[in-house]
Each structure stands twice: as structure tokens, then as C-alpha cells.
Amino acid sequence: MMQLNVTPASSPIEPANDNVLVVQGVSKKFCRSLKQSMFYGLQDMGAELTGRRQASFTLRQGEFWALQDISFTLQRGEAIGLVGANGSGKTTLLRMISGLIRPDAGSIWVKGRVAPLIALGAGFSPVLTGRENIYANMSILGLSTQEIEARFEQVVEFAEIDEAIDAPVQSYSSGMAARLGFACAIHTDPDVLLIDEVLAVGDARFRSKCERRLAELLQNGTSFVLVSHFFQGILNTCQKGLYLSKGQLVASGSAREIMDRYEAELFSVKQGATRFPFHFPAKSEAERAKTGITGAELLSLHFEDAAGQLVESPISGEPMSICVRCRGSRPIEALSLFVAIYLPAKDNSLMLHLSSAYDQETFAVAAGDYELRVELPHLGLLPAAYTLSVYLKDGALYVLDAYESIRFSVVGQEKLNRGQYYQPHAWKVSGQISGQKPL
């Protein structure tokens, strides 16, 4: 059991029996000046040695709050996702929970063994062999020599470095060192596992093995605090979420609620979102000539539901039409529409690409105004923030007009928070079957 406590004695921690981690009113400040930071560090060490160190809620010259008044609890077998932009204090919080740094105010109570997966392999000595580093690393994490010896072969087998186990770690690749660090941490039977963006170790096969092992630990009662910018990873693993911004706890609640709010604010879906129908900016003759736009141009774009009503945010799994209005200044032999939808939360991945030309659907039109639409019987996009790009073409190659990065959001129900897309489906049960049905 570990407790870091700089809270005044009048407000002690009284954790519940099923809690394995209690963070209460924790704050941490840093100094931007290295010289001042060293001086303040000496002052704090002196106060610590003399027993005069107390909670400090004031900033000295050059200091700033990296975290301020953070409180939450973690129960056995529970996973909490910690999200926020870079610099919001996520890693600082994990380092305090692991005992690497002390809070300046507040209390942290941990029951059992903590395994930090923060910087895999960072604590290894480059001149020691992999074998020697296993003993050193796992002893730091709280295991006895006998316990390490009993698990040594499992660690080596999981890390897949048996041929290099007696070579110095300085001869390892960064991936080998990370795999060894991961293997050491997960074989300590931790009560609390701190995971800070470290699951991208090794190839896809090894990452899959890591995810299976983490799922086993969660089922066996290990609790997680997971920091990740991979939205679906948080939703797949965590029941609860914490949203940090500039060192403060903005919101806490279910993982889905927190991720929806973080995503909306991160990609400005709610604040300054596109209004529909979206009218494309008018172009001057000089702009048309510069961009090579001749013959037709985009006028507006909007979404419609199954009843033909305008919708601001399409609903996942429901019928939807993407409607684009355009104006042709001359006859066009093969008018076509391209639509591309991207997911900013996942490295701007292409989620949907539709082309009427690729579907052998082009239209011979005279000069005038037209509306091109693509009707989707079921919108397969899951609830999230997206951007949409449209291309008006003559045939499959010649671009008449284009507009990119139109922001919009898809809404849906709680049950639609897994996977990559929505699949229309139905569940059925047949009557009782006598005998064994042949396969």
C-alpha cells in the first residue's frame, strides 16, 4: 500500500474497501526556468528533511500549475481513460500515481502494486544485458528474486528476445527494448496498471498479443488508467473517462460521454461547426480562371433524412442523402460527383469514398442548375466528428469544381460506439432443434 500525502491533516483520505486508487485534490506545479527550478527544489528538499513541508497553493516566480485540484477514484477491475490535448497534465498525473514525483498539494492513495507503462525501456541500463535488466527492473517494481526467477522464462517468451537475452541492451532496437519493458511490467501481477500511449510496440501481431494480455489482466481484477489519443481504444477498454485541459479536470463520467465531449471540442464540431445548407463561397472570374474551373460550379450542400427533411447531424444507421447543388454554364456530357469523408480523430483516415463515375452513373446535362444526390439506405459512419470533401467532375478525371474539409458530425445511440462502421443487422432465434444439425 502506498500513500503520498501533503494534504492538511484536517482532510484525510478514507478510501472505500473496493477502491485501489484514490486521488484527492492533487496539484503539481513546475518552474519554466531551470536555474530557479533547481533552487526551489533545494528549498523543498530542505523543508522535507526538516518536516516543515506543507501543501503549497501559491506560485513562486516562474512557476505554473501543471495540475490543479484533481480528484477521482479507481475501483478494482475498472479502467479509466484519461484524455486531453498535449500538455494537459496526463503524464504528470501518471508519474505522481506511480510515485516518481510528489504532488505539491493533495493526496494519492494506492492499494497494492503499481506497474507504470509510461516510457517502456527508459529505466534499462544500456550496458547491462537483457537478463540483468529484467532482474533489476522487476525488483524495482516490487518482486523478490524468487518471484522474478519463477517468471523469467515467461517474460523472455512474451518479449520474443530469447536470442538476444544475454546481449547488452544498447545493442537492442528501440522496439526490442520496448517489448522487454512491456513484458516486465505485465508479469508483475499489478493491482494498478498505468498505460501512457505505449501500446504501439512491435508489429501488428505483437500489438494484438499485448491487447489480449491486457484484457486478461482486466478480467482478473487489475485496474487500468489508460492515456491514449486513439478514441476507439478508450471506448473499447474503459468504462469511465476523465478529461483534462490545461491542468484542470474539465469533466468526468462514462467513457462515451467524455470522448464525445473531447472530440467535439478538439475538432470544433459544436463550436463554429458548419451550418447546413452549406453555401459554397462565390468565385470571381479571376478565381475561376486561376483554379481551372470551367463549365460548372458548386452552389450548396446539405443532408436530408428519409422524409426529405434537412438535418444538421445525420444519424448513424438511419437513411440519409448527401445533396449537392451545382450550376452549369455549358452542356456537360458526363457530369459526376465524388464524395470523400475523413475522420480527423484517427489521423484523418479516409472513411468513405463514393463516386458516381466509378459506379457508371454520369449525367448528360444542358446549362442550368442541378442537384446531385447520393442516397444511403443506412449511414454506416459511427457517431463522431468528420470532414467532407466534394468534387464536381466531367467524367472521372476532369474536375469542374471542388471544395474540401466541410465539418459535420454524426450522432447515434450508446450501442454504436464500437468497431469502425455501423452494420445494419437483425437478431433471430429459431425453434428448438432436435438432434445435432450437420455443419
Side-chain angles (χ1 to χ4, degrees):
M1 184 181 296
M2 178 186 74
Q3 181 169 337
L4 300 177
N5 194 342
V6 289
T7 302
S10 59
S11 55
I13 290 180
E14 296 181 359
N17 292 332
D18 54 351
N19 287 335
V20 294
L21 171 65
V22 178
V23 176
Q24 180 175 302
V26 164
S27 299
K28 182 64 182 178
K29 54 189 176 182
F30 291 114
C31 183
R32 291 187 171 89
S33 169
L34 177 60
K35 186 175 181 179
Q36 284 182 313
S37 178
M38 295 176 65
F39 175 70
Y40 294 152
L42 291 173
Q43 282 186 326
D44 294 339
M45 289 174 61
E48 186 80 28
L49 292 173
T50 57
R52 294 183 291 106
R53 185 179 183 185
Q54 297 180 349
S56 176
F57 299 99
T58 59
L59 294 176
R60 295 168 288 193
Q61 183 178 358
E63 289 185 326
F64 67 97
W65 289 112
L67 285 172
Q68 194 168 16
D69 196 23
I70 306 297
S71 299
F72 69 94
T73 61
L74 180 66
Q75 297 182 345
R76 184 168 302 280
E78 184 179 56
I80 289 183
L82 193 59
V83 300
N86 291 334
S88 59
K90 303 185 299 296
T91 300
T92 298
L93 180 57
L94 293 192
R95 291 182 180 276
M96 285 194 291
I97 295 172
S98 65
L100 296 176
I101 56 177
R102 288 179 58 87
D104 289 304
S107 301
I108 299 174
W109 180 92
V110 182
K111 181 179 181 181
R113 178 177 291 147
V114 178
L117 299 179
I118 299 175
L120 294 180
F124 289 159
S125 171
V127 298
L128 296 180
T129 66
R131 182 185 302 273
E132 292 166 336
N133 271 293
I134 289 176
Y135 278 88
N137 186 267
M138 296 185 76
S139 63
I140 292 174
L141 293 176
L143 269 67
S144 65
T145 302
Q146 292 76 17
E147 289 176 317
I148 298 173
E149 289 175 347
R151 307 175 195 200
F152 182 84
E153 293 301 329
Q154 298 175 29
V155 172
V156 176
E157 180 181 358
F158 192 94
E160 301 177 1
I161 59 165
D162 52 317
E163 295 181 355
I165 192 61
D166 290 312
V169 167
Q170 63 186 1
S171 67
Y172 289 11
S173 67
S174 58
M176 292 172 64
R179 294 204 307 268
L180 184 58
F182 186 93
C184 288
I186 64 174
H187 284 89
T188 60
D189 294 336
D191 295 283
V192 179
L193 193 57
L194 309 177
I195 308 173
D196 186 8
E197 290 285 8
V198 297
L199 296 183
V201 294
D203 54 25
R205 182 190 57 80
F206 188 81
R207 290 197 300 271
S208 177
K209 183 166 73 169
C210 294
E211 291 170 357
R212 289 197 302 271
R213 177 59 177 169
L214 291 177
E216 292 173 1
L217 290 174
L218 191 63
Q219 291 177 354
N220 293 333
T222 298
S223 303
F224 293 175
V225 180
L226 173 62
V227 172
S228 178
H229 290 287
F230 177 39
F231 284 40
Q232 201 60 45
I234 294 283
L235 293 174
N236 289 343
T237 305
C238 303
Q239 299 89 15
K240 295 183 179 179
L242 302 175
Y243 178 12
L244 295 181
S245 179
K246 298 180 180 179
Q248 296 186 338
L249 183 59
V250 175
S252 62
S254 73
R256 179 57 189 270
E257 293 172 346
I258 296 304
M259 296 310 296
D260 283 348
R261 175 169 177 177
Y262 175 51
E263 183 182 46
E265 294 181 3
L266 183 62
F267 298 106
S268 302
V269 175
K270 293 181 180 178
Q271 299 178 354
T274 304
R275 300 292 299 178
F276 293 95
F278 174 75
H279 295 278
F280 296 99
K283 300 179 181 63
S284 65
E285 292 298 330
E287 289 175 323
R288 290 191 181 94
K290 183 178 180 180
T291 57
I293 296 173
T294 57
E297 62 181 313
L298 296 166
L299 297 179
S300 66
L301 177 145
H302 66 277
F303 304 124
E304 290 183 6
D305 60 17
Q309 299 298 313
L310 177 72
V311 292
E312 290 280 340
S313 297
I315 302 173
S316 186
E318 296 294 324
M320 184 198 77
S321 295
I322 303 173
C323 308
V324 177
R325 294 182 178 177
C326 62
R327 174 169 296 158
S329 58
R330 61 172 175 82
I332 300 172
E333 291 296 326
L335 184 65
S336 65
L337 180 67
F338 282 56
V339 176
I341 296 178
Y342 300 88
L343 181 60
K346 195 176 180 183
D347 300 324
N348 217 35
S349 298
L350 177 64
M351 301 302 294
L352 180 65
H353 182 270
L354 299 171
S355 165
S356 64
Y358 291 171
D359 291 338
Q360 307 299 316
E361 293 283 352
T362 59
F363 308 94
V365 297
D369 291 0
Y370 299 92
E371 180 179 277
L372 296 173
R373 63 168 56 209
V374 53
E375 297 178 348
L376 308 178
H378 299 277
L379 177 60
L381 299 174
L382 289 178
Y386 297 92
T387 62
L388 181 148
S389 299
V390 293
Y391 303 87
L392 193 63
K393 296 188 178 184
D394 186 353
L397 299 177
Y398 185 71
V399 177
L400 299 170
D401 198 0
Y403 200 89
E404 299 179 334
S405 301
I406 303 169
R407 295 174 297 176
F408 73 101
S409 61
V410 173
V411 298
Q413 301 174 357
E414 176 68 22
K415 64 181 180 181
L416 301 177
N417 65 353
R418 302 290 179 95
Q420 294 291 332
Y421 66 99
Y422 171 79
Q423 172 62 55
H425 59 279
W427 302 101
K428 294 182 179 179
V429 59
S430 300
Q432 185 174 1
I433 301 173
S434 59
Q436 184 173 1
K437 186 176 181 179
L439 298 178

